[in-house]
Amino acid sequence: MSNKEIAEQLYISVNTVMTHRRNISRKLQIHSPAGLTIYAIVNGLINLEDVKL
């Protein structure tokens, strides 16, 4: 999802979404959206069917 879509769904600002993504990336040492997606799938945080291609 885009930052804007996430912000709207969670009722937070786009800047907050960007900050959270940046912090998660830094802590996991994953520096791409694709890497974060793979991490989430491998660790059972999301289902592969939920990923938009």
Side-chain angles (χ1 to χ4, degrees):
M1 296 173 71
S2 71
N3 290 339
K4 183 178 178 183
E5 291 171 326
I6 294 168
E8 289 173 355
Q9 188 167 357
L10 297 177
Y11 304 104
I12 59 177
S13 75
V14 174
N15 287 335
T16 302
V17 173
M18 291 169 44
T19 298
H20 287 315
R21 276 194 175 182
R22 185 173 41 251
N23 290 339
I24 291 167
S25 294
R26 186 178 306 129
K27 288 179 183 181
L28 296 175
Q29 296 181 355
I30 300 172
H31 304 291
S32 72
L36 290 172
T37 302
I38 292 168
Y39 178 89
I41 293 168
V42 168
N43 290 284
L45 300 173
I46 59 172
N47 293 321
L48 185 57
E49 294 82 28
D50 296 335
V51 177
K52 295 179 185 178
L53 301 176

